[in-house]
Amino acid sequence: MYIGIDLGGTNIAAGLVDDDGIVLLKHSVETKANRNANEIIKDIADVVDFLIDESKAGKSNIKAVGIGIPGVADEISGEVIYCVNLNWENVPLKKPLEELIKLPVVIGNDATVAGVAEYGAGKMKGCKNGVFITLGTGVGGGVIVEGKAYGGSHGVGSEIGHMVVGENFYDCNCGRNGCLETFASATALIKYAQRELDLDRESILQKDSRQLNAKLIFDGAKLGDELCIETVDRLIHYLAIGISNLINILDPECFVIGGGVSKAGDFLLEKLRSKVDEMKSFSSIRSGRIEIAMLENDAGIIGAAMLGKFNG
Amino acid sequence: MYIGIDLGGTNIAAGLVDDDGIVLLKHSVETKANRNANEIIKDIADVVDFLIDESKAGKSNIKAVGIGIPGVADEISGEVIYCVNLNWENVPLKKPLEELIKLPVVIGNDATVAGVAEYGAGKMKGCKNGVFITLGTGVGGGVIVEGKAYGGSHGVGSEIGHMVVGENFYDCNCGRNGCLETFASATALIKYAQRELDLDRESILQKDSRQLNAKLIFDGAKLGDELCIETVDRLIHYLAIGISNLINILDPECFVIGGGVSKAGDFLLEKLRSKVDEMKSFSSIRSGRIEIAMLENDAGIIGAAMLGKFNG
């Protein structure tokens, strides 16, 4: 058994998870993010102890504790390099927690963890190499290579959202131009539609122009609204470039798309698959299948636990 | 010991190579590329037999035979998917050759093989994860992950040259726009300079405008010629985007740059290192070092042999 921790700015959500990714018991406490890191780490340790005691699982049956971080986590050193929600910069997490709980700890960023969840118990199950892409406020990625979450030599790989795939009309938060995140996130959809609406483009969106979201834009595209279709197709185009780049570099068995934008489901999937096919250098080359993520609410807990399983 | 074969359109160059990548004996025959594939494969078998007999190495001491292909090679199925120089499409190579020589055969594309050479006996030695980028007529790549040449799930990964990194004024041979190859190859340098010369830009290159090559352009940049500097800086800019993308995805310990353009040496290297540094999302993030390839003439033979060592 494993314990998975989804460390967020609001809650520390945790669960006892079996080898197949089934959550056996859950527990959650408030993060109170404005506290000192040591106090938060102490609370994580208490949550781990609570799950072990409450479940009567027996500490010796817990093989590892995995933690997903909403930021940049160095899986090798065990430090959180950067986490806006917690206001952490270069905070050691693995070592102090291991000292408290006397169990092996593995950390990873939240997109990696969501990818590991899909690999352990979702749509990526059975793939030796796979890429999880989450399309939300930003774009994150989780790369599985040879059955393990791949973090690279300095623990900071899999940052797919900052792959440059073109030139964009606005810069990325990272300071560069053309990052996948600025083309394929919900934010990117909204920014593009907003820009066009501000130019007085006719669209079903004009009535909601002050409260745009990805769902409104996808719904408009399904109804045949020209601006909505253009906005969605632009996302599809650049996401397909990103996926083609990943095919050319990693050639995985499957891609799994998660995050808020993936709620567009088959409408997104069909357009995306056909665009990626269109972009192949050689039509005879086989490439990984593309799917929509399957796990929702507990993905953070399951994935963190599975990170303990595969990378622990 | 291993045997490495560099299969080219002109010659089948082969060598007996020891575990450290030292070439002990070489032999080469003409490819006569317009023949039937089976005849060429028979000749490869004869070259292998010749090296074993001539060296008195003893067949049982040969652990594997590696072959580098100037095209797309599926390392898993052992088929050459596409090779212009040999006019091969979906030609099985591994299996028929293994039947002839009764030794394990591993195939890979020539850029992968050159990368493996640097990993086994050159500038990438000791790196667990590394990326070799060859800048020649096109751009090729060899990716080492956890000490093995990484070919992906369908044997066609590491095609770094077709990673899209921007928008370009001409399309790539693969039919798409914005491939790294169209920005960072010798061909790309020449095409850009040529376009500017055709617009009557003042430059030291005007006198050689009908026989441009990468060396002339780099030499002009070193002398301070404005168009040459602009052309080189454009290559550096997009190559740095490509490397940054690879840092964000693979985060390797090192990058090694080979191929004709790499002859520009430190002049290229210093500009490239500083541009990649400039593009980092977080200055505190460590990333792989960048070096110029070290092996030259025998890289194809050594790399093919080392492919047998690491992937055999």
Side-chain angles (χ1 to χ4, degrees), chain B residues 261-295:
Chain B
V261 173
S262 74
K263 304 252 183 282
D266 287 345
F267 183 77
L268 171 81
L269 201 54
E270 277 161 30
K271 278 174 178 272
L272 183 61
R273 283 175 176 162
S274 104
K275 196 75 189 172
V276 170
D277 261 352
E278 206 180 278
M279 286 185 181
K280 270 188 198 169
S281 323
F282 300 101
S283 56
S284 64
I285 286 179
R286 288 171 304 144
S287 62
R289 63 176 203 274
I290 304 173
E291 308 283 355
I292 298 285
M294 159 182 146
L295 301 169

Side-chain angles (χ1 to χ4, degrees), chain A:
Chain A
M1 279 177 292
Y2 301 87
I3 286 174
I5 316 267
D6 184 358
L7 177 58
T10 313
N11 289 306
I12 302 169
L16 181 72
V17 179
D18 74 7
D19 281 44
D20 296 321
I22 309 291
V23 180
L24 305 174
L25 179 67
K26 280 200 280 189
H27 184 54
S28 169
V29 299
E30 277 181 63
T31 310
K32 298 181 198 129
N34 51 356
R35 293 182 296 164
N36 185 294
N38 285 333
E39 296 176 56
I40 296 174
I41 293 171
K42 177 70 178 63
D43 278 3
I44 297 175
D46 289 344
V47 167
V48 169
D49 287 341
F50 175 88
L51 284 171
I52 295 172
D53 292 346
E54 186 75 10
S55 66
K56 302 188 172 54
K59 192 161 181 171
S60 61
N61 293 318
I62 309 298
K63 291 178 202 145
V65 174
I67 308 186
I69 318 290
V72 183
D74 183 337
E75 294 163 26
I76 297 165
S77 71
E79 283 190 18
V80 176
I81 296 177
Y82 194 74
C83 177
V84 183
N85 297 356
L86 299 172
N87 205 13
W88 285 9
E89 220 178 310
N90 299 314
V91 171
L93 173 57
K94 175 185 162 75
K95 219 177 261 177
L97 186 60
E98 282 181 342
E99 275 165 23
L100 288 172
I101 62 174
K102 315 287 180 204
L103 284 169
V105 170
V106 189
I107 72 171
N109 78 45
D110 48 358
T112 296
V113 160
V116 172
E118 290 293 329
Y119 173 67
K123 279 287 177 67
M124 221 188 271
K125 203 162 181 168
C127 291
K128 218 169 63 167
N129 304 306
V131 177
F132 175 78
I133 306 177
T134 172
L135 311 175
T137 314
V139 170
V143 174
I144 304 289
V145 171
E146 303 281 332
K148 283 178 72 171
Y150 181 82
S153 290
H154 311 89
V156 295
S158 305
E159 283 291 338
I160 285 167
H162 296 289
M163 164 173 35
V164 169
V165 293
E167 282 152 38
N168 210 346
F169 66 91
Y170 72 99
D171 284 342
C172 184
N173 288 333
C174 79
R176 295 161 68 205
N177 187 276
C179 292
L180 181 60
E181 177 157 310
T182 67
F183 290 109
S185 61
T187 315
L189 268 183
I190 294 164
K191 285 213 181 207
Y192 182 78
Q194 192 66 62
R195 186 186 71 157
E196 296 299 306
L197 291 173
D198 291 348
L199 297 169
D200 282 336
R201 284 273 302 265
E202 230 179 88
S203 166
I204 203 172
L205 295 175
Q206 283 291 6
K207 63 182 166 55
D208 300 302
S209 67
R210 285 170 191 277
Q211 43 181 349
L212 286 187
N213 61 46
K215 186 175 183 306
L216 282 172
I217 297 167
F218 271 100
D219 286 348
K222 287 174 193 167
L223 290 172
D225 180 82
E226 202 184 296
L227 174 59
C228 292
I229 292 174
E230 180 182 310
T231 306
V232 166
D233 285 352
R234 184 173 188 266
L235 176 144
I236 299 285
H237 176 79
Y238 286 101
L239 180 56
I241 289 180
I243 288 178
S244 300
N245 284 355
L246 290 163
I247 290 174
N248 279 320
I249 298 165
L250 288 170
D251 177 25
E253 267 167 275
C254 59
F255 290 92
V256 174
I257 313 293
V261 172
S262 74
K263 303 253 184 282
D266 286 345
F267 184 75
L268 171 80
L269 201 55
E270 278 161 29
K271 279 174 179 272
L272 184 60
R273 284 175 175 162
S274 105
K275 196 76 191 171
V276 170
D277 261 352
E278 206 180 278
M279 286 184 180
K280 271 189 199 168
S281 323
F282 300 100
S283 56
S284 65
I285 286 179
R286 288 172 305 145
S287 63
R289 63 176 204 274
I290 304 174
E291 307 283 356
I292 298 286
M294 154 181 153
L295 301 169
E296 295 199 357
N297 298 336
D298 290 336
I301 291 172
I302 297 169
M306 296 286 101
L307 187 68
K309 176 176 174 178
F310 300 121
N311 285 43

Side-chain angles (χ1 to χ4, degrees), chain B residues 71-104:
Chain B
V72 183
D74 184 336
E75 294 162 27
I76 296 165
S77 71
E79 283 190 20
V80 176
I81 296 177
Y82 195 73
C83 177
V84 183
N85 296 355
L86 299 172
N87 205 13
W88 285 10
E89 220 178 310
N90 300 313
V91 171
L93 173 56
K94 176 186 161 77
K95 218 176 262 177
L97 185 60
E98 282 181 342
E99 275 165 22
L100 289 172
I101 62 174
K102 314 287 180 205
L103 282 170

Side-chain angles (χ1 to χ4, degrees), chain B residues 7-302:
Chain B
L7 177 58
T10 313
N11 290 307
I12 302 169
L16 180 72
V17 180
D18 75 7
D19 282 44
D20 295 321
I22 309 291
V23 180
L24 305 173
L25 180 67
K26 281 200 281 189
H27 184 54
S28 170
V29 299
E30 277 182 63
T31 311
K32 298 179 197 132
N34 51 356
R35 293 183 294 164
N36 186 294
N38 285 333
E39 296 176 57
I40 296 175
I41 294 171
K42 177 71 179 62
D43 277 3
I44 297 174
D46 289 345
V47 167
V48 169
D49 287 340
F50 176 89
L51 284 172
I52 295 172
D53 292 346
E54 185 75 8
S55 66
K56 301 189 174 51
K59 192 161 182 170
S60 61
N61 293 317
I62 309 298
K63 291 178 203 146
V65 175
I67 308 186
I69 318 290
V72 183
D74 184 336
E75 294 162 27
I76 296 165
S77 71
E79 283 190 20
V80 176
I81 296 177
Y82 195 73
C83 177
V84 183
N85 296 355
L86 299 172
N87 205 13
W88 285 10
E89 220 178 310
N90 300 313
V91 171
L93 173 56
K94 176 186 161 77
K95 218 176 262 177
L97 185 60
E98 282 181 342
E99 275 165 22
L100 289 172
I101 62 174
K102 314 287 180 205
L103 282 170
V105 170
V106 188
I107 73 170
N109 77 44
D110 49 357
T112 296
V113 159
V116 172
E118 290 293 329
Y119 172 68
K123 279 288 177 66
M124 220 189 271
K125 201 162 182 167
C127 291
K128 217 170 64 168
N129 304 307
V131 177
F132 175 78
I133 305 177
T134 173
L135 311 175
T137 313
V139 170
V143 174
I144 304 289
V145 170
E146 302 281 332
K148 283 177 74 170
Y150 181 83
S153 290
H154 312 89
V156 294
S158 305
E159 283 291 338
I160 287 167
H162 296 288
M163 167 174 30
V164 169
V165 293
E167 283 153 35
N168 210 345
F169 66 91
Y170 72 99
D171 285 342
C172 184
N173 288 334
C174 79
R176 295 160 68 204
N177 187 278
C179 293
L180 181 59
E181 177 157 308
T182 67
F183 291 108
S185 61
T187 315
L189 268 183
I190 294 164
K191 285 214 181 206
Y192 182 78
Q194 193 65 63
R195 185 186 73 156
E196 296 300 305
L197 291 174
D198 290 347
L199 296 169
D200 282 335
R201 283 272 302 265
E202 231 179 86
S203 165
I204 202 172
L205 295 176
Q206 284 291 5
K207 62 181 167 56
D208 301 303
S209 67
R210 285 171 190 276
Q211 43 181 350
L212 286 187
N213 60 46
K215 187 175 183 305
L216 281 172
I217 296 168
F218 271 100
D219 286 348
K222 287 174 194 168
L223 290 171
D225 180 82
E226 203 185 295
L227 174 59
C228 292
I229 292 175
E230 180 183 309
T231 306
V232 167
D233 285 352
R234 185 173 187 267
L235 176 144
I236 299 285
H237 175 79
Y238 286 101
L239 180 56
I241 289 181
I243 288 178
S244 301
N245 284 356
L246 290 164
I247 290 174
N248 279 321
I249 298 165
L250 288 171
D251 177 26
E253 268 167 276
C254 59
F255 291 92
V256 173
I257 313 294
V261 173
S262 74
K263 304 252 183 282
D266 287 345
F267 183 77
L268 171 81
L269 201 54
E270 277 161 30
K271 278 174 178 272
L272 183 61
R273 283 175 176 162
S274 104
K275 196 75 189 172
V276 170
D277 261 352
E278 206 180 278
M279 286 185 181
K280 270 188 198 169
S281 323
F282 300 101
S283 56
S284 64
I285 286 179
R286 288 171 304 144
S287 62
R289 63 176 203 274
I290 304 173
E291 308 283 355
I292 298 285
M294 159 182 146
L295 301 169
E296 296 200 355
N297 298 336
D298 290 336
I301 292 173
I302 297 170

